[in-house]
Amino acid sequence: MKRILIISYFFPPCNLTASQRVNSWAKYLHKSGFYPIIVTRKWEKHVTSFDDCHYPTSKEVLIENHDHYEVHYCPYSSNLRDKLHVQKKLYYFKKFLSLIEIIFQNIWVKICPFNNFIAEAEKIIKSEKNIHSIIISGNPFIQFKFGYKLNKKHKIPWIADYRDAWTTSTINNISGNKIFKLINSYHKFFEKKWTKTASYITASSEPIGKSIEQLSSIKSSAIYNGFEPEEFLKYKDIKKHEDHFQIAYIGTLYDGQDISIFLEAYKRFIDNIKPKSKLLFPGLDLDENQKKRISLLMDGYEDYYQTSLRIPKAEIFKIEKQSHLLLHVAWKGHSGIIASKIYEYIGSGTKIIIAPGDNNSIDKIINTSKSGVVFNNIESTFDFLCKEYDLFVNNSTIINQTETSLQFSRENQTNKLGKILNKIYD
């Protein structure tokens, strides 16, 4: 087995979605001949809000050995900014400290509260002596400096992995704030400097990878986040709702997503068909602005939709299985922004409707997996809803999970990564 070092801020037991990307690599890379050694931070607190990431942990490095990988959990020491964040004190001073950290950690990495990743990586490289390669998964993107420094010192090839875009993002500053643009230009200098030393770029979507190629001139490939088919096995006997036609939007809703196209079609569907139907938005109540947005768009149609606070993962799986359609809305005018829920949708086997699409990655994933349909106007969306409701009335709802959808399983995506590692380093 070839030893491979992976540095990722997010990793289980962290319960955030970001931790699952590298977790799948840890589980499946052995099938491609690799033994991953993961360096991450300790996660001793269940994350229910962003505040939970700022608490300190116990001080010792914890090493866990598994059958096919090992994990080095590094302690996290709260700095003054973290403490003020948890205590919710001195708001503007805390903002100032965050700005100082963001700017100066690119130059003095010791400012970074998890710079101990580098020391732990050094220990592993020294003890193993045969590390095949290094993968750095961002964000946080300061970790790419870790890859840069380790490569410079040890000449070990490394991959810069992007879960999201950094300075090439098209959505981080839609408002066009001048201060943001200045800081982004500053970060771009370092992003280019660090990634130019990488041997390869992987990204969660093809457009993100291509944007980094243009910046660094390093070749890229898309490694999608994927889904775990096994997660749905315990729910395989759950039937579709028989008393009403259910559509669900799972996950966060943002201003950049034009959900009005679907909602106008849905209201026309209600006016014409008078269906027994319910549109669910689990978790939307956590965002008052988005809840108000939906409320205004659905004024007068309150009986046909429902919002709620965040609900347990197991309940989400049930909703996905019980629903007749799962809705997603692409970012208007932006491509390559793929919500992780898309893959979970595919894994559920429930038909997906994208309205509108992005004319790029999301449309391609839906069409390639044969898991749903994409519409970009009210009329075609309305017609589709009428046809699907007719299937519901006649008890003819189709389950969509096929062999084509399994290409987006996390195991198959990890297999793609294994092929890249074997090809570029051997």
Side-chain angles (χ1 to χ4, degrees):
M1 283 283 181
K2 304 168 204 171
R3 261 40 179 180
I4 181 169
L5 178 63
I6 302 177
I7 297 178
S8 175
Y9 185 83
F10 298 100
F11 194 81
C14 173
N15 56 301
L16 298 175
T17 302
S19 67
Q20 294 308 314
R21 183 172 176 85
V22 172
N23 185 41
S24 64
W25 300 348
K27 289 169 60 178
Y28 299 122
L29 268 175
H30 71 95
K31 296 186 177 183
S32 298
F34 294 95
Y35 181 86
I37 304 172
I38 295 95
V39 174
T40 187
R41 62 158 281 180
K42 280 186 172 181
W43 295 94
E44 297 175 336
K45 189 174 179 62
H46 188 78
V47 180
T48 57
S49 71
F50 188 64
D51 290 348
D52 295 327
C53 297
H54 294 279
Y55 286 91
T57 67
S58 53
K59 298 184 182 302
E60 302 79 18
V61 174
L62 172 65
I63 300 175
E64 287 187 358
N65 293 295
H66 300 262
D67 288 343
H68 304 296
Y69 64 95
E70 67 185 64
V71 189
H72 293 236
Y73 292 100
C74 298
Y76 184 86
S77 299
S78 298
N79 55 23
L80 179 58
R81 180 213 58 184
D82 291 321
K83 293 172 183 176
L84 292 175
H85 195 98
V86 170
Q87 296 170 6
K88 302 189 184 304
K89 293 182 178 180
L90 301 174
Y91 176 81
Y92 290 106
F93 184 55
K94 178 186 67 180
K95 285 286 188 182
F96 172 72
L97 292 176
S98 295
L99 181 62
I100 292 297
E101 182 178 311
I102 288 171
I103 292 174
F104 288 102
Q105 68 180 0
N106 290 352
I107 302 170
W108 297 292
V109 74
K110 287 189 177 181
I111 295 176
C112 173
F114 49 94
N115 70 81
N116 53 358
F117 287 11
I118 299 178
E120 190 62 24
E122 292 275 11
K123 289 180 184 177
I124 293 167
I125 292 170
K126 184 177 180 180
S127 63
E128 294 290 339
K129 295 181 181 179
N130 61 343
I131 296 295
H132 172 275
S133 50
I134 300 171
I135 301 178
I136 311 290
S137 187
N139 59 22
F141 296 110
I142 185 62
Q143 293 177 116
F144 290 159
K145 185 170 186 177
F146 303 171
Y148 168 82
K149 288 174 69 69
L150 292 170
N151 171 264
K152 189 175 181 180
K153 183 174 180 179
H154 301 284
K155 308 304 179 186
I156 300 173
W158 72 288
I159 287 177
D161 174 63
Y162 285 76
R163 287 194 323 277
D164 301 292
W166 184 9
T167 66
T168 60
S169 172
T170 59
I171 66 171
N172 282 350
N173 186 42
I174 294 176
S175 64
N177 183 283
K178 291 182 179 180
I179 294 176
F180 177 90
K181 288 182 177 180
L182 182 63
I183 294 175
N184 203 57
S185 296
Y186 168 77
H187 282 316
K188 184 166 287 189
F189 168 81
F190 290 99
E191 181 179 18
K192 186 175 183 179
K193 176 182 177 180
W194 298 337
T195 55
K196 270 186 170 294
T197 67
S199 297
Y200 209 80
I201 303 294
T202 55
S204 60
S205 76
E206 187 174 336
I208 291 176
K210 293 301 180 185
S211 72
I212 312 305
E213 274 194 30
Q214 293 176 6
L215 179 71
S216 65
S217 301
I218 304 299
K219 188 176 180 181
S220 72
S221 291
I223 304 294
Y224 298 115
N225 288 327
F227 68 95
E228 288 283 10
E230 294 77 14
E231 289 183 331
F232 289 93
L233 289 178
K234 65 175 71 173
Y235 307 102
K236 64 180 180 179
D237 296 326
I238 292 179
K239 306 296 183 183
K240 301 297 181 187
H241 272 296
E242 296 180 353
D243 58 338
H244 68 274
F245 182 64
Q246 182 167 294
I247 307 169
Y249 179 95
I250 310 295
T252 306
L253 184 65
Y254 298 93
D255 287 337
Q257 295 170 279
D258 185 10
I259 197 170
S260 65
I261 290 175
F262 177 82
L263 292 183
E264 289 303 315
Y266 185 56
K267 288 188 289 186
R268 186 183 297 183
F269 165 65
I270 293 168
D271 293 339
N272 284 268
I273 305 297
K274 302 295 188 294
K276 294 180 179 179
S277 179
K278 189 73 76 174
L279 172 59
L280 304 184
F281 293 94
L284 190 72
D285 287 357
L286 291 173
D287 189 328
E288 283 297 327
N289 290 331
Q290 294 303 323
K291 182 180 179 181
K292 183 178 180 180
R293 178 184 170 201
I294 296 299
S295 177
L296 291 171
L297 287 169
M298 291 296 290
D299 184 37
Y301 295 84
E302 287 77 11
D303 291 340
Y304 291 92
Y305 80 96
Q306 178 181 317
T307 66
S308 70
L309 292 170
R310 182 176 293 170
I311 63 176
K313 184 78 169 179
E315 290 301 315
I316 290 293
F317 283 141
K318 289 181 182 178
I319 288 173
E320 290 171 343
K321 294 292 287 186
Q322 290 173 334
S323 295
H324 301 88
L325 293 174
L326 294 174
L327 169 66
H328 185 67
V329 180
W331 282 75
K332 186 177 181 179
H334 302 276
S335 61
I337 314 302
I338 308 173
S340 295
K341 287 296 178 184
I342 287 290
Y343 305 108
E344 194 172 288
Y345 278 12
I346 294 172
S348 73
T350 297
K351 188 178 292 185
I352 302 167
I353 175 170
I354 310 292
D358 68 345
N359 295 313
N360 204 300
S361 297
I362 293 177
D363 298 19
K364 183 178 179 180
I365 288 170
I366 297 303
N367 293 328
T368 303
S369 64
K370 299 181 180 179
S371 57
V373 292
V374 180
F375 299 112
N376 292 299
N377 57 66
I378 296 170
E379 289 73 20
S380 56
T381 304
F382 164 71
D383 290 341
F384 175 75
L385 289 174
C386 293
K387 290 176 183 176
E388 289 300 305
Y389 188 72
D390 187 59
L391 290 175
F392 159 72
V393 170
N394 291 288
N395 197 28
S396 301
T397 302
I398 300 171
I399 302 298
N400 281 297
Q401 192 176 63
T402 64
E403 289 300 318
T404 56
S405 69
L406 291 177
Q407 66 184 289
F408 295 102
S409 71
R410 289 189 183 130
E411 182 174 353
N412 281 332
Q413 290 302 308
T414 304
N415 183 50
K416 284 175 59 179
L417 176 61
K419 289 179 179 178
I420 290 170
L421 288 167
N422 278 312
K423 182 177 180 180
I424 65 176
Y425 295 134
D426 291 340

